[in-house]
Amino acid sequence: MRSTDGLLEVGFMRTVFDSLGTGVFVTDTTGLLTACNPRAAQLLGRPGEQMLGHDLHDLLHRRRDGGMVPRSECSLLAVLHSGRPAEGTEELFLRGDGSLVPVIWAATPLRHEGRSEGAVVVFHDFSLHRDAAEQTAAYLAALEGLTARLTMVAEISTVLISASDTPGMLKKLAGLLVPDMGDWAAVDLRTAEQTGEMQRVVVRTSGDQRVADALVGPLPSLPESTRSAAVQALRSAEPVVLDADTLAAEPDSPLASAHRDLFDRLGGTCAVVVPLHTRRKVFGALTVARAAPDSAYTEAEVFVLSDIGRRAGLVMEAAELFEQQRHVAETMQRQLLTPLPQVDHLSLAARYRPAESAAEIGGDWYDSFLLGDGALTMVIGDVVGHDLQAAAHMAEVRNMLRALAWDRTEPPSLIIRRLDEAMTHTSDAPMATCVFARIEGEEGGPWQLHWVNAGHPPPLLVTAEGDTRFLEAGHGPLLGLSSALHLGLGWPDARADLPPRSTLLFYTDGLVESRTRDIEAGLSALRRHAAVLADRDIEDFLDELLERIDPSGDDVALLVLRVPAAGVGAGDDEAPPQHAHNPAAPGRGAPGSRIEDSPVRDTSEPA
């Protein structure tokens, strides 16, 4: 019975041995193969019976070049000598067809009744695992490269979005591309579209930057026709890849020669030229080059550079439109700020400072004119909005006020009421704030201010001694609120005496309010600085006031009146000198009036 059980057990173990999904060898104490399972024969492409009796090491173990591994270095045979298990990866076994198969293996000494009988070697084809590992490594490397490119594009996008000027943006752009995308980068721009004039605005290199800086400057004009691949990028709005053969071609125009000079001075075996463009216009070209031998740009890298060129072009187009809008708005707004009258030694001066952003050009205005009864008006206002349309609405409201007021002797409140009705029923102008005032008095004084305030910051009165107070009376709702009159709201008339040699300041909220300062703090600062400047000439008063407060963000309009000393009248020798009107004089818009230059760009002054 036991004999039968033993036979059954042996048969069962043989079935297990033959059915294992991994290769199994059994060797004797000298390394000769005494058994192998079908999976081992399949993995090695050799019949099992042909391997039996052969030395495992001599038959199968090989180096990567196919040569024999020295027997002394065979880690599998070491198990027979040490008597200790061992394992390893990427040993190479010789297949029947002469190819090599990497294996992962484990060897265990075979002992029976206390005696060493040889070793059992279990192995598996490692090529699938290795291929998967290599694919994973390649995937991770590609992912890492993509992440690096996306990070670079994100950094470049941040630079493009936050750029305040085109030259600065292009310098930062070139700096981000070197050395990640090339050993040097250059940007050539079209400076005059009609004549094809060109300018190299930046060259950035990982080498000697002084050599690169010497290449910046005017370039030959864009030729009518050219075979140059680099110059073609400016005409076709398509990226151009330059290889060694293309770079070796002779330039066929002065501009192509100037482009070739980059490679002569900075080196380069390959390059990509991408246009800086939009659908409407090509602004210039970006060249990125590598100097290492046998280097080349991949299709993905060309795509990334092309996308960067397109993004830069969009920013340049936006900057161009930005400046065009700013110029139109400033010109429109400045031309509406008319010369100031000079009456009975009442000295007037004004300032207008545009906003720092073209998007902030808006509805601030000042005005002063004589009414039909000889009274002098002072007006300061602000139409809601910060764009070109706001400037247009400002012009509309200003002209309506002039038309409604000039021939009337009625109180300011009635003028403002008519203006509100006109805005509500005949205009699409939005809400607006305004202070409208009459300066009343006879020659030699005394003088009195008669005014209404439609939702505007209060005028500031500064005495000759430096005492200050805001004229809070006369306050009513904003203009353009059609419901104001229906709700019983109105604009009460207010009066105040203007002491001799006092200064009356009208201003818009950009002077006292900003994103970093609330209006209460701004009003307090205005009052403090105006008190210190009370004895200054009104021109200096305004200049010093703007310098001390240094408003930023919104546009600012200022209108100031200086009352003469008591008893001073027309023809009086003690009268302060008046400025002669000179339309050609820079910085002067009228007698006693100056329109300040934009803090962002120079603009012409109104005549």
Side-chain angles (χ1 to χ4, degrees), residues 30 32 95 130 157 182 195 236 255 278-279 328 371 416 447 488 498 512 584 594:
T30 64
L32 297 180
R95 291 172 54 88
R130 185 180 64 181
S157 297
T195 61
S236 66
L255 182 59
T278 65
R279 292 181 179 179
V328 171
L371 296 174
I416 289 298
W447 300 95
L498 300 177
V512 293
R594 181 181 302 157

Side-chain angles (χ1 to χ4, degrees), residues 204-523:
R204 187 65 180 267
T205 179
S206 57
D208 190 342
Q209 187 59 40
R210 292 173 298 179
V211 176
D213 290 340
L215 294 167
V216 174
L219 294 172
S221 298
L222 184 65
E224 290 295 329
S225 62
T226 178
R227 298 187 310 276
S228 169
V231 179
Q232 285 292 346
L234 289 165
R235 294 204 177 278
S236 66
E238 295 291 337
V240 174
V241 179
L242 306 179
D243 55 20
D245 293 337
T246 308
L247 292 173
E250 285 297 319
D252 65 346
S253 66
L255 182 59
S257 296
H259 193 259
R260 174 68 173 273
D261 195 35
L262 288 167
F263 295 87
D264 293 339
R265 301 289 298 277
L266 301 175
T269 58
C270 67
V272 179
V273 183
V274 297
L276 307 175
H277 73 107
T278 65
R279 292 181 179 179
R280 296 175 56 252
K281 184 176 180 181
V282 177
F283 294 90
L286 165 68
T287 303
V288 185
R290 286 173 177 156
D294 301 324
S295 57
Y297 283 94
T298 65
E299 184 177 346
E301 288 174 324
V302 174
F303 177 81
V304 168
L305 289 171
S306 298
D307 183 62
I308 290 171
R310 181 185 61 82
R311 291 169 184 254
L314 290 172
V315 172
M316 296 173 73
E317 182 177 65
E320 188 175 80
L321 295 174
F322 182 99
E323 287 302 320
Q324 290 174 359
Q325 180 184 11
R326 184 181 187 88
H327 176 71
V328 171
E330 286 185 5
T331 300
M332 179 179 186
Q333 199 162 27
R334 288 175 182 277
Q335 294 299 325
L336 291 170
L337 303 177
T338 53
L340 301 176
Q342 297 289 332
V343 179
D344 292 334
H345 297 264
L346 293 172
S347 301
L348 288 168
R351 297 289 185 273
Y352 171 68
R353 177 178 289 185
E356 294 178 352
S357 165
E360 296 293 331
I361 290 294
D364 288 26
W365 93 94
Y366 65 80
D367 200 2
S368 181
F369 53 94
L370 292 176
L371 296 174
D373 60 358
L376 176 69
T377 64
M378 289 180 64
V379 184
I380 196 84
D382 186 1
V383 173
V384 172
H386 295 93
D387 52 23
L388 186 59
Q389 189 175 34
H393 285 144
M394 175 270 286
E396 185 179 10
V397 174
R398 167 193 172 275
N399 290 335
M400 282 194 294
L401 178 57
R402 279 194 161 220
L404 291 169
W406 81 272
D407 64 342
R408 299 181 181 274
T409 59
E410 56 197 19
S413 60
L414 296 182
I415 303 295
I416 289 298
R417 181 183 295 271
R418 289 193 179 91
L419 177 61
D420 177 72
E421 292 174 346
M423 288 178 60
T424 300
H425 299 294
T426 68
S427 168
D428 62 351
M431 294 180 295
T433 68
C434 178
V435 175
F436 175 69
R438 290 169 54 99
I439 311 302
E440 300 174 344
E442 298 188 6
E443 183 177 323
W447 300 95
Q448 190 177 65
L449 178 70
H450 185 186
W451 84 97
V452 293
N453 188 332
H456 199 83
L460 178 65
L461 181 62
V462 186
T463 67
E465 295 74 28
D467 297 325
T468 62
R469 67 185 177 99
F470 288 111
L471 304 180
E472 304 280 2
H475 211 86
L478 277 68
L479 298 170
L481 292 174
S482 58
S483 60
L485 293 178
H486 299 298
L487 296 175
L489 302 176
W491 298 271
D493 286 292
R495 291 183 178 272
D497 292 331
L498 300 177
R501 297 186 296 116
S502 62
T503 303
L504 177 64
L505 175 65
F506 287 16
Y507 55 92
T508 55
D509 59 1
L511 182 69
V512 293
E513 188 176 21
S514 69
R515 296 180 179 91
T516 59
R517 180 177 59 186
D518 62 51
I519 192 167
E520 291 301 327
L523 290 171

Side-chain angles (χ1 to χ4, degrees), residues 194-209:
Q194 300 299 326
T195 61
E197 294 179 21
M198 300 287 298
Q199 176 89 9
R200 181 165 294 145
V201 295
V202 59
V203 181
R204 187 65 180 267
T205 179
S206 57
D208 190 342
Q209 187 59 40

